[in-house]
Amino acid sequence: MRRGEQLPWIVPDELWARIEPLLPVVSPRADHPGRKRLDDRKVLSGILFVLYTGI
């Protein structure tokens, strides 16, 4: 990794613009609120981090 390069698990805006329409729209459930959802982009970055680092 060189200085100034973007980390490989960070999703660029252009890629996110292509991925976001493919994700399902989830409506909040009033009867079973449960835990709040995490941001989809952050979850994808977390998955890519695990795949890249092998942890």
Side-chain angles (χ1 to χ4, degrees), residues 8-48:
W9 54 84
I10 302 299
V11 181
D13 293 334
E14 300 83 27
L15 179 59
W16 183 247
R18 294 183 65 188
I19 293 173
E20 189 175 25
L22 302 174
L23 300 174
V25 177
V26 179
S27 59
R29 299 181 339 182
D31 54 340
H32 298 96
R35 185 179 296 213
K36 291 185 178 180
R37 285 178 51 93
L38 297 172
D39 181 44
D40 290 333
R41 190 170 184 172
K42 289 181 181 179
V43 172
L44 178 60
S45 292
I47 293 169
L48 294 174

